Amino acid sequence: MTDLFATDNPWELFEQWMTLAKSTASISEPTAMTLATATPQGAPSARVVLLKDVDERGFVFYTNYESRKSRELAENPQAALCFYWMPLDRQVRIRGRVEQVSAEISDEYFASRGREKQVGAWTSKQSCPLETREQFEQELHAMTLKFEDTDPIPRPAHWGGWRVVPQEIEFWIQQPYRLHERRVFTREPDGGWVSGMLYP
Ligand SMILES: Cc1cc2nc3c(=O)[nH]c(=O)nc-3n(C[C@H](O)[C@H](O)[C@H](O)COP(=O)(O)O)c2cc1C
């Protein structure tokens, strides 16, 4: 038996696991998570993003609001997240609806980023076709000059955070002979959680 039973609070369990992942030297990006989205027709796509905030409202990441992922989330506001920490043999899966974080929260996070990243966010038309790398570098240079005398650089309206509000969180630990342990927490209508085990 493992620490899957250590607490009946999925937020606490997630925090314990994330703390462990962050203190594991061989995990270079403990907050990296696969984000799955889908078109309204149900065609899926997935990519890695970084978890930047988590509290009892949900899991927050930042991106371009005109990117493919954001277009899909706007049209079909549901997502799945998956963390995999290989050296720990652990996985966490999350499913839920999404919402944009408030403009104030996005402003605050944008302000905490370095100027190069801020200029990059202004310049990149994320997910749009790009003719040549040189074209992007020229645009980046022009944007850097444009903001030369601007401090602080404001957040572009096309960039901000999404929050995944979990309906279900599953914790998975590898065990010998593929007899893995899985504990799944499901949100109840009153906001509480019920939990149970799943066959491996
Ligand atoms: C480790 C890692 C972390 C990443 N973090 C982010 C992120 O936090 N936000 C983001 O927009 N893209 C991030 N990316 C890039 C995305 O995987 C993806 O290429 C990009 O967001 C465009 O996705 P889309 O075209 O599906 O919208 C990251 C990629 C990797 C490999």
Side-chain angles (χ1 to χ4, degrees):
M1 293 292 161
T2 65
D3 62 357
L4 279 175
F5 301 95
T7 165
D8 285 326
N9 181 330
W11 300 112
E12 263 177 42
L13 197 51
F14 182 80
E15 195 187 313
Q16 287 172 12
W17 283 30
M18 181 55 84
T19 301
L20 185 61
K22 285 181 174 172
S23 64
T24 303
S26 57
I27 301 180
S28 61
E29 293 280 16
T31 62
M33 54 188 187
T34 298
L35 161 73
T37 58
T39 65
Q41 294 74 35
S45 63
R47 79 291 287 151
V48 174
V49 294
L50 297 180
L51 177 72
K52 288 297 174 185
D53 197 19
V54 57
D55 60 26
E56 297 201 0
R57 289 171 297 175
F59 299 83
V60 173
F61 64 91
Y62 290 87
T63 194
N64 185 309
Y65 282 147
E66 290 162 9
S67 64
R68 174 178 179 159
K69 73 180 85 53
S70 291
R71 274 185 272 124
E72 293 186 356
L73 290 173
E75 291 178 5
N76 179 13
Q78 316 176 60
L81 301 172
C82 185
F83 294 86
Y84 175 45
W85 299 297
M86 192 168 4
L88 298 176
D89 292 326
R90 291 174 189 220
Q91 170 179 235
V92 176
R93 299 169 64 184
I94 295 149
R95 294 193 308 121
R97 65 177 176 85
V98 294
E99 60 189 24
Q100 288 190 358
V101 306
S102 69
E104 291 72 28
I105 292 178
S106 287
D107 285 344
E108 206 174 300
Y109 177 65
F110 188 78
S112 76
R113 289 162 64 90
R115 283 180 74 84
E116 292 79 5
K117 286 184 182 173
Q118 293 175 334
V119 171
W122 271 100
T123 312
S124 175
K125 305 176 189 77
Q126 191 177 57
S127 316
C128 291
L130 172 64
E131 287 283 314
T132 62
R133 182 74 192 173
E134 289 68 39
Q135 180 180 329
F136 177 53
E137 279 166 13
Q138 279 167 17
E139 290 168 359
L140 206 51
H141 182 64
M143 197 65 82
T144 305
L145 293 179
K146 183 176 165 193
F147 281 115
E148 210 169 26
D149 298 323
T150 308
D151 191 25
I153 297 177
R155 175 178 63 91
H158 67 249
W159 192 96
W162 286 100
R163 178 182 294 115
V164 179
V165 180
Q167 175 62 30
E168 192 179 281
I169 309 180
E170 181 197 324
F171 296 83
W172 181 101
I173 302 189
Q174 183 171 310
Q175 296 294 354
Y177 312 114
R178 304 270 185 266
L179 305 178
H180 316 307
E181 285 186 66
R182 304 173 65 185
R183 183 172 183 188
V184 62
F185 292 83
T186 307
R187 184 103 75 164
E188 294 199 282
D190 69 359
W193 294 93
V194 283
S195 85
M197 306 303 289
L198 298 174
Y199 279 91

